[in-house]
Amino acid sequence: MLCIFLYLLTHFHNFATHGSVSNLLESVFGFKDKSVQNICLWGGFCTLTSRLTGCVSSCQSITESFGAAICAINTAQLTDGVINRSKRMILDTLGVGLLGTRTAVFNKALTYSQLLSSEERSSVWGKSDVTLPPQYAAFVNGIAVHSMDYDDTWHPATHPSGAVLPALLALAEALPRQTSGLDLLLAFNVGIEVQGRLMRFSREAYNIPERFHPPSVVGVMGSAAASAKLLGLSPAQCCHALAIAASSAGAPLANAATQTKPLHIGNAARKGLEAARLAQIGLEGNPAILDMDRGFGVYYKDYSPSVIADWASGSFKWILEDQNVAIKRIPAHLGMHWVVDAALAARRKLENTAGNFDISQIRQVTLRVPPSKYVNCPVPATEHQARHSFQFNACCALLDNEVTVASFNEAQINRPALSRLLSKVKMEIPKDNQPSFDTMYCEVEIETDQRQTHTARCDTFYGHWRKPLSQKDLVEKFSLNASSVLCTDGVDGVIDVIGNLERVSECSPLSSYLRMTSSSHRELCSTRAL
């Protein structure tokens, strides 16, 4: 073997330049694309080099570097900062998911999924007597997470947790071995990291999306990576899981503000899990899926991928360490948080001047927002349109002095007073207001019949990654959401398990708590494996 290695090392250039290997690849495998041929040549050479020398190869393809990193990253590389941030993400995701089990879109997806049967069964959150095959448990729980657009948002723009956590919890219940809290945290963070790396391959991804919903693209890849990690797949199998998942990626933004949008998260969770399990039993995809413009690059106009070069060294750093997530205070598109905070501040200015807030005295409301077609909805007719409407959320904040879960009920949307206020709204798009969750702002100006103006601007809302929710407020949000479905012991149990997740020896009690919808299930809380 050493002789073969030395021969290849000496003559690789001749193989590549003189065309004999290229001709072989073309005639036998049909690889006419020179970039694919080069990937195959270098990939085979580098794999042999790595195996013979025991060193991390510096000439791996991009996809191979991802497969190797997914396989090799271990719990010792989890930092306190990443553990704490990911536990906050997990708690918030479970809370909004539990609340989401009360929505119409969740119940439609559940009804469909119950038509399917399997010997493997995983929990449906908030349902004490319903289980589904793991991939469909991931599907419906993922839908629940995004059903109210209440889940976390990252930068570049995506909802990172909803595609990953439902897949992992469903898969953990189906495994023959117990999954520890650290196992769950590691797989979760691998799924988050893969999404962060993929989004950084494009400058386009840094802006509010225009063509497709990002979780449908990077989310399914994150789910596949996280599931592959929990399954313990080999580097090659991890590569194939990513390739299989890529063929299930993508969803058009035309379905934003409809009941179909939550399915983007549910499908990402389900299809990523399925991709990992298919790779586990030997299904293969293109081993260069991340390297190619006609691979994962089809989703971005300016795709420029790179290897994960630092995973095996002491210099590896999680993206989550530097880039926190935004945790929402209202169940709506992230952009609505800026306009709500600005509207509340403008209302306070008007009240301080006039002594009260009288809608009949308002002549015009001007919103200065970034350009984004799918969150410009002047007269929303459904709850999903309302969650994606600058106009609705600003007027709701002005009229009620708050925006809550109840604000998006049909009766609230159709109030005559709200309709009158919406008719007075004008939108402006300043040139300096870029469509990025990192730099955008919203300004609300109220003009009265007396031609007095009261203006307020929000650059960073409370809950944004620059101004994160306190732990107290995060737990309060979770408790309020979860208590709409779970009994008190179930709510407290979830908080306890997630708070101590890195020390939990097995995650099965978490699934029990997530099903505790009545006092008759309190006995499930009696054993806490810590």
Side-chain angles (χ1 to χ4, degrees):
M1 288 294 286
L2 183 58
C3 294
I4 296 172
F5 168 65
L6 293 172
Y7 178 79
L8 285 174
L9 187 63
T10 307
H11 296 284
F12 179 80
H13 179 72
N14 289 333
F15 273 122
T17 353
H18 293 157
S20 56
V21 180
S22 296
N23 292 337
L24 179 66
L25 288 169
E26 181 174 344
S27 60
V28 177
F29 299 105
F31 291 166
K32 298 180 181 180
D33 189 320
K34 294 299 179 185
S35 64
V36 179
Q37 291 179 357
N38 290 338
I39 289 166
C40 293
L41 289 166
W42 275 105
F45 173 66
C46 296
T47 300
L48 180 59
T49 303
S50 296
R51 288 179 178 174
L52 288 172
T53 63
C55 300
V56 178
S57 171
S58 61
C59 53
Q60 284 180 318
S61 73
I62 293 163
T63 311
E64 285 176 329
S65 77
F66 271 69
I70 292 167
C71 176
I73 290 173
N74 59 68
T75 55
Q77 291 170 281
L78 289 171
T79 65
D80 290 343
V82 164
I83 287 174
N84 289 333
R85 284 184 174 177
S86 54
K87 288 196 302 183
R88 285 166 57 88
M89 294 162 70
I90 290 171
L91 186 66
D92 183 59
T93 302
L94 292 174
V96 299
L98 286 163
L99 181 66
T101 62
R102 302 172 62 190
T103 61
V105 61
F106 168 83
N107 284 305
K108 289 175 183 177
L110 180 61
T111 299
Y112 163 73
S113 298
Q114 286 178 299
L115 299 174
L116 305 157
S117 61
S118 168
E119 290 185 4
E120 289 185 321
R121 311 297 288 181
S122 296
S123 300
V124 176
W125 304 348
K127 301 291 178 182
S128 59
D129 56 350
V130 180
T131 57
L132 291 172
Q135 66 270 33
Y136 283 96
F139 175 62
V140 298
N141 290 333
I143 288 172
V145 168
H146 198 57
S147 61
M148 292 184 175
D149 219 314
Y150 210 0
D151 45 331
D152 57 20
T153 304
W154 211 12
H155 180 68
T158 194
H159 305 285
S161 300
V164 173
L165 186 62
L168 288 177
L169 291 183
L171 179 57
E173 288 189 84
L175 293 178
R177 56 178 171 79
Q178 288 291 343
T179 300
S180 72
L182 269 178
D183 292 335
L184 180 65
L185 281 167
L186 180 61
F188 178 81
N189 277 288
V190 165
I192 301 301
E193 182 72 14
V194 164
Q195 293 179 75
R197 298 266 178 166
L198 292 176
M199 288 187 296
R200 281 159 176 76
F201 292 169
S202 164
R203 292 305 306 173
E204 177 188 357
Y206 282 76
N207 293 332
I208 296 174
E210 296 179 351
R211 297 181 296 121
F212 57 80
H213 193 206
S216 70
V217 175
V218 297
V220 68
M221 306 297 278
S223 172
S227 300
K229 185 64 182 175
L230 198 61
L231 286 168
L233 300 193
S234 70
Q237 289 173 317
C238 291
C239 291
H240 291 305
L242 293 175
I244 298 164
S247 282
S248 296
L253 266 183
N255 273 325
T258 74
Q259 280 192 334
T260 297
K261 189 188 179 198
L263 270 67
H264 300 170
I265 299 283
N267 280 326
R270 169 194 164 194
K271 294 293 187 177
L273 172 54
E274 287 179 343
R277 298 191 89 175
L278 286 167
Q280 184 183 36
I281 63 173
L283 190 70
E284 296 181 349
N286 191 315
I289 195 68
L290 301 183
D291 299 71
M292 305 164 64
D293 286 342
R294 61 190 180 87
F296 194 73
V298 300
Y299 297 106
Y300 298 99
K301 299 172 185 176
D302 58 348
Y303 188 65
S304 180
S306 58
V307 298
I308 301 181
D310 55 355
W311 60 265
S313 70
S315 63
F316 176 78
K317 192 169 188 180
W318 302 90
I319 291 175
L320 187 60
E321 192 89 63
D322 289 329
Q323 179 60 64
N324 202 355
V325 298
I327 293 179
K328 298 180 179 180
R329 299 182 352 260
I330 59 174
H333 181 275
L334 191 71
M336 304 306 108
H337 289 68
W338 278 272
V339 80
V340 165
D341 279 11
L344 292 173
R347 176 191 163 112
R348 285 193 295 271
K349 289 185 176 182
L350 174 58
E351 285 180 317
N352 291 337
T353 302
N356 69 329
F357 180 83
D358 184 353
I359 186 177
S360 65
Q361 296 178 359
I362 295 178
R363 179 178 177 274
Q364 182 173 278
V365 177
T366 303
L367 310 180
R368 299 183 180 98
V369 298
S372 182
K373 293 179 181 178
Y374 83 105
V375 286
N376 177 7
C377 186
V379 187
T382 69
E383 62 163 301
H384 297 284
Q385 290 177 355
R387 298 182 200 280
H388 294 76
S389 168
F390 279 127
Q391 298 92 329
F392 173 86
N393 283 272
C395 289
C396 213
L398 290 173
L399 191 61
D400 302 328
N401 203 24
E402 64 177 358
V403 178
T404 68
V405 170
S407 300
F408 300 91
N409 292 339
E410 184 177 356
Q412 295 292 99
I413 293 171
N414 295 323
R415 287 178 292 169
L418 185 62
S419 298
R420 288 195 297 273
L421 191 55
L422 281 168
S423 69
K424 300 178 181 182
V425 173
K426 180 180 76 169
M427 269 196 13
E428 295 178 355
I429 300 174
K431 291 183 178 179
D432 68 336
N433 201 353
Q434 297 302 306
S436 165
F437 291 140
D438 202 42
T439 60
M440 66 171 280
Y441 66 87
C442 287
E443 193 170 270
V444 175
E445 179 183 286
I446 305 170
E447 183 182 348
T448 67
D449 288 337
Q450 291 76 36
R451 303 290 179 171
Q452 294 179 325
T453 60
H454 306 275
T455 306
R457 169 170 162 157
C458 177
D459 292 295
T460 304
F461 65 86
Y462 179 48
H464 191 271
W465 44 83
R466 288 192 298 269
K467 194 186 291 185
L469 287 185
S470 69
Q471 186 65 18
K472 177 178 177 293
D473 287 344
L474 174 66
V475 172
E476 185 177 329
K477 176 191 172 183
F478 169 81
S479 299
L480 187 63
N481 290 336
S483 62
S484 67
V485 178
L486 301 183
C487 66
T488 301
D489 286 347
V491 173
D492 292 342
V494 173
I495 293 172
D496 187 32
V497 170
I498 301 304
N500 294 282
L501 195 54
E502 67 271 38
R503 295 179 288 276
V504 170
S505 59
E506 58 182 73
C507 290
S508 54
L510 179 59
S511 298
S512 299
Y513 291 133
L514 291 170
R515 296 195 305 268
M516 288 187 62
T517 56
S518 71
S519 57
S520 63
H521 295 85
R522 287 181 182 174
E523 65 271 13
L524 295 174
C525 282
S526 58
T527 303
R528 297 183 180 182
L530 297 178

